[in-house]
Amino acid sequence: MPEATHVGSGKVRELYALDDDRLLLVASDRISTFDVVLPTEIPDKGRVLTGLSGFWFARTRHVVPNHLLALRDDARSTECRRLEMLPIECVVRGYLSGSGWKDYRATGEVCGHRLPEGLVESQQLPRPIFTPATKAQTGHDENIDRDAAVELVGEDRFDEVEATALALYELAAEHARARGIILADTKLEFGLDDRGRLVLGDEAFTPDSSRFWPADEYRPGSTPPSFDKQFVRDYCESLGWDKTHPGPELPDEVVTGTRARYVEAFEHLTGIGFDDYLADPRVVLA
Ligand code: PZK
């Protein structure tokens, strides 16, 4: 009898069923840039993201329960509760970037939130906003307004998810800011347990689900360097690659530099040595 049945693939993660109630979420070392998964892996990237998620799940349990049951010894696998996932991506933005900036420039609004005139790219918003999106099976998620999201999850659930996502963002952004990192925005995913209670799932506050900017390089009006993938982006740009599949192999110095950035972010945000995490992943839960 197989230990686990493969049930899904993300771009850089795999999902397995352990039994009727439990899933195993495995974070690989694959890296994507410009939406293409590259042929070269970044050693330990999946472990860094798994550790950061675990850290955040442990520190936000008082805000909302989450799906984490256990971190495995391989430091890249999370045993989690199987949930009924809500059909929306729960994005919170504290700064104007990515599709939020694009929508604002076109309409002055993001997901129905009318914003002040004259904001520039990457500018901090007057207050964080909840900007849900549909979960596209292929291609890009589509930003939706409150009415469209209410249509998908119901009004009471929408209000609960919005308040919870904003509270989680505020907590993580304040923690990161005190350590010199701006959490510009983040994508959260929620599900319901067997009693219909809201539970935080997926990954939480990782560089793959969030924009982290080094505070000392932040300058409104430009696109800040993403702290983790900037070496990879810069290298890919230098090749004149057309950003279609397949992506380029990365040279050793880009791999080494990028791995160092991930490990540095882990240690900076958690205050835990990465070697200590590898020796016993449960240290992030303490
Ligand atoms: C669930 N995904 C996204 C797809 C991945 C991840 N706790 C949960 N219960 C039920 N379903 C999911 C989760 C979680 N997390 C997550 N799809 C379903 C996904 C493919 C690979 F790694």
Side-chain angles (χ1 to χ4, degrees):
M1 174 184 143
E3 187 190 88
T5 312
H6 187 247
V7 294
S9 293
K11 261 196 304 200
V12 300
R13 296 179 302 161
E14 304 295 336
L15 195 58
Y16 301 85
L18 294 172
D19 55 42
D20 289 353
D21 307 322
R22 297 181 307 142
L23 299 174
L24 190 70
L25 194 52
V26 183
S28 76
D29 292 336
R30 298 193 292 274
I31 187 168
S32 69
T33 190
F34 305 111
D35 276 331
V36 175
V37 176
L38 301 180
T40 311
E41 298 192 331
I42 306 299
D44 292 325
K45 170 177 177 279
R47 294 189 174 94
V48 165
L49 270 57
T50 298
L52 277 174
S53 262
F55 175 83
W56 282 114
F57 283 138
R59 275 150 194 83
T60 58
R61 292 174 52 194
H62 62 287
V63 177
V64 64
N66 59 67
H67 72 165
L68 185 147
L69 294 171
L71 294 177
R72 289 211 166 167
D73 285 331
D74 66 7
R76 66 168 75 253
S77 305
T78 306
E79 295 179 11
C80 40
R81 282 198 273 168
R82 196 193 283 257
L83 306 170
E84 195 72 53
M85 299 307 287
L86 297 183
I88 55 172
E89 309 275 12
C90 295
V91 180
V92 178
R93 302 172 188 275
Y95 293 74
L96 205 44
S97 188
S99 68
W101 166 241
K102 219 174 125 196
D103 292 352
Y104 170 76
R105 236 182 353 184
T107 67
E109 298 185 0
V110 184
C111 299
H113 297 274
R114 171 130 314 256
L115 297 175
E117 285 177 37
L119 297 179
V120 297
E121 185 172 18
S122 311
Q123 192 163 346
Q124 186 171 20
L125 297 170
R127 68 188 64 75
I129 55 173
F130 180 62
T131 59
T134 59
K135 292 184 182 183
Q137 290 306 315
T138 58
H140 275 121
D141 299 338
E142 184 194 350
N143 288 339
I144 54 176
D145 65 11
R146 177 190 160 89
D147 288 350
V150 164
E151 204 61 37
L152 291 168
V153 301
E155 184 159 42
D156 291 353
R157 191 67 76 180
F158 177 91
D159 291 341
E160 183 187 14
V161 163
E162 176 177 53
T164 305
L166 285 167
L168 291 171
Y169 171 83
E170 303 266 15
L171 191 158
E174 188 178 347
H175 177 99
R177 192 65 192 79
R179 286 154 185 81
I181 294 171
I182 292 173
L183 178 60
D185 55 38
T186 196
K187 185 196 76 173
L188 301 166
E189 293 197 36
F190 293 91
L192 306 181
D193 70 10
D194 51 7
R195 296 181 176 192
R197 288 174 299 213
L198 191 69
V199 179
L200 180 62
D202 203 61
E203 61 183 327
F205 305 111
T206 71
D208 277 6
S209 66
S210 315
R211 284 192 177 84
F212 289 126
W213 297 335
D216 58 4
E217 294 173 53
Y218 171 66
R219 194 162 46 81
S222 66
T223 316
S226 109
F227 94 90
D228 55 323
K229 292 183 182 171
Q230 201 57 40
F231 286 166
V232 173
R233 295 223 183 99
D234 291 350
Y235 174 74
C236 289
E237 296 277 21
S238 79
L239 296 176
W241 166 51
D242 66 2
K243 296 167 190 172
T244 65
H245 181 88
E249 304 262 10
L250 301 175
D252 285 349
E253 63 270 21
V254 173
V255 171
T256 306
T258 302
R259 180 186 179 279
R261 298 297 286 268
Y262 278 108
V263 170
E264 181 184 42
F266 174 93
E267 295 188 330
H268 215 71
L269 283 165
T270 65
I272 297 166
F274 189 60
D275 288 343
D276 293 334
Y277 170 66
L278 295 184
D280 181 3
R282 283 155 290 276
V283 293
V284 296
L285 308 179

